Amino acid sequence: MDNFETIFVTTLTTLVVTVLAGIAVEYFKKIKPKLVYSIKESIPITLQDVKIGANVIEVHNPSSKTVKDITLRIKSSGVDIKNSGVNSTTGLDYDIVELEDSIEVKIPFLKFKDYVSITTIMEDRYHIPNKPEVTIRSPDQFKSILESKQDTSKIKHFDFIVVPATISAIVVAITLTKGSYSLSTLISARKEQATQLTLAATKVNLPYLVSRYSTGDDFKYYTQGPYIYTLALNSSTKEETQKYYDFLEIVVAQTTVEINPPSKASLEFFLGRISLMLGKENDGKSWYTASMNTDETEYLYLKSIYGINN
């Protein structure tokens, strides 16, 4: 009798475990993987009578399941849109097709934690949207989720550190900056500098600079003068040197944000040096004069280090 009870309990337990295992397998089969995407909205600006905006679109897979044959379509109806650089998980394959008003990124698969990030530039004479339309397709069943970059848990987790540090930096900036700049002006300029630099680099077709500036917003106008001048010195052709000159000229000429006098004087100073590299002596003298008029102290400081001859 005892043996019968033991056999019965064992058989019943095995049956229950088998049934539950089957139900669990079917349940997990039905769970759809997720593809999470985000769109960093642009701040439209006007350069040479053309409105331009830059966006960064990122797609990543937070699920344990792989999603295959993905097509990411980025569309902006009636507006020119261009690819300005792609970043992805190391070794990940992708293919980009540029159409008239859209860009398609074809990705063979995205595994757990794989990602693709693409910087796009929209351009039009009259109007551009803050962000393009984004759709994601795949023959696999999946759930797509639009994620706000500003609401990520990582940022929330460090709010108590970031906010005080940011406020302290702003207070110091107000104290040290020459002239009377309002808090709102400083915050606006801080947010837009990387965008302005990205768009100017796009305008003159310098992909390396586009990729550099579009990956972050911690770039300052002031340091770009000597940096671009160094690149110009190492240019292999006169055409490339001219591009660096055009880039700095666009940055100086843009009027959507205020550039503080020392930064502007620095940019104008190095425009003068690059002008002389191109054999444009009169332009060089004009830029040196502009630099001195903008901020004489900064001009004399740079002159003491670099001189005014090429």
Side-chain angles (χ1 to χ4, degrees):
M1 188 69 177
D2 290 340
N3 289 339
F4 176 78
E5 289 179 354
T6 302
I7 294 171
F8 176 77
V9 170
T10 303
T11 303
L12 182 61
T13 302
T14 303
L15 178 62
V16 170
V17 170
T18 303
V19 170
L20 290 177
I23 293 173
V25 169
E26 290 302 315
Y27 172 76
F28 284 111
K29 280 183 179 179
K30 292 179 181 179
I31 294 179
K32 295 180 181 179
K34 299 175 183 177
L35 290 181
V36 177
Y37 70 99
S38 62
I39 308 171
K40 183 178 179 182
E41 294 189 14
S42 65
I43 303 171
I45 69 168
T46 300
L47 292 176
Q48 299 178 351
D49 298 327
V50 176
K51 295 186 182 298
I52 301 177
N55 299 91
V56 179
I57 296 93
E58 181 178 305
V59 180
H60 69 275
N61 183 1
S63 308
S64 58
K65 290 185 177 181
T66 298
V67 182
K68 300 183 289 297
D69 297 326
I70 301 164
T71 299
L72 169 65
R73 191 178 188 194
I74 306 165
K75 184 176 181 180
S76 187
S77 299
V79 173
D80 290 337
I81 185 167
K82 301 175 183 176
N83 163 37
S84 286
V86 179
N87 292 313
S88 69
T89 307
T90 303
L92 187 69
D93 290 330
Y94 57 82
D95 186 35
I96 297 178
V97 179
E98 294 193 42
L99 307 173
E100 289 184 3
D101 63 348
S102 64
I103 297 171
E104 286 192 351
V105 184
K106 297 181 182 298
I107 311 162
F109 60 84
L110 281 180
K111 297 183 295 184
F112 176 53
K113 291 187 177 181
D114 280 351
Y115 75 92
V116 172
S117 175
I118 178 170
T119 301
T120 63
I121 302 295
M122 293 186 291
E123 182 176 328
D124 191 68
R125 287 191 60 187
Y126 305 105
H127 170 75
I128 58 169
N130 287 332
K131 59 183 180 181
E133 303 170 19
V134 174
T135 56
I136 307 174
R137 300 192 305 272
S138 168
D140 291 344
Q141 290 190 341
F142 70 96
K143 182 178 181 180
S144 72
I145 300 173
L146 175 60
E147 174 188 65
S148 171
K149 280 291 185 181
Q150 283 71 32
D151 293 333
T152 58
S153 59
K154 186 176 181 180
I155 292 178
K156 287 182 179 179
H157 181 69
F158 289 103
D159 271 353
F160 69 100
I161 297 175
V162 174
V163 173
T166 302
I167 292 174
S168 299
I170 291 171
V171 171
V172 172
I174 293 173
T175 304
L176 298 179
T177 303
K178 297 179 181 179
S180 55
Y181 295 96
S182 68
L183 179 62
S184 61
T185 299
L186 284 171
I187 293 175
S188 175
R190 176 67 179 84
K191 287 181 178 178
E192 293 186 13
Q193 288 184 34
T195 300
Q196 300 284 357
L197 293 167
T198 300
L199 298 179
T202 301
K203 193 69 178 177
V204 298
N205 192 25
L206 288 169
Y208 168 73
L209 291 184
V210 172
S211 176
R212 182 174 188 268
Y213 293 135
S214 65
T215 56
D217 57 1
D218 57 344
F219 298 103
K220 305 292 193 300
Y221 289 129
Y222 181 81
T223 57
Q224 301 317 303
Y227 172 65
I228 296 301
Y229 173 64
T230 301
L231 293 178
L233 280 176
N234 290 279
S235 298
S236 57
T237 64
K238 188 173 182 179
E239 288 74 16
E240 187 177 359
T241 303
Q242 181 66 49
K243 284 186 178 183
Y244 290 122
Y245 174 90
D246 293 340
F247 167 77
L248 286 183
E249 186 177 39
I250 290 173
V251 174
V252 169
Q254 60 86 12
T255 58
T256 55
V257 295
E258 190 169 1
I259 304 177
N260 66 42
S263 295
K264 188 173 182 181
S266 175
L267 295 172
E268 291 169 336
F269 180 87
F270 287 102
L271 271 166
R273 293 190 66 82
I274 297 176
S275 294
L276 295 178
M277 290 175 60
L278 293 168
K280 301 177 181 179
E281 187 174 345
N282 290 336
D283 283 354
K285 291 179 179 178
S286 296
W287 283 118
Y288 286 143
T289 300
S291 178
M292 184 173 63
N293 291 338
T294 299
D295 190 306
E296 185 174 0
T297 301
E298 184 64 31
Y299 168 76
L300 292 175
Y301 170 70
L302 293 172
K303 179 182 175 182
S304 69
I305 297 176
Y306 296 96
I308 57 175
N309 297 319
N310 185 36

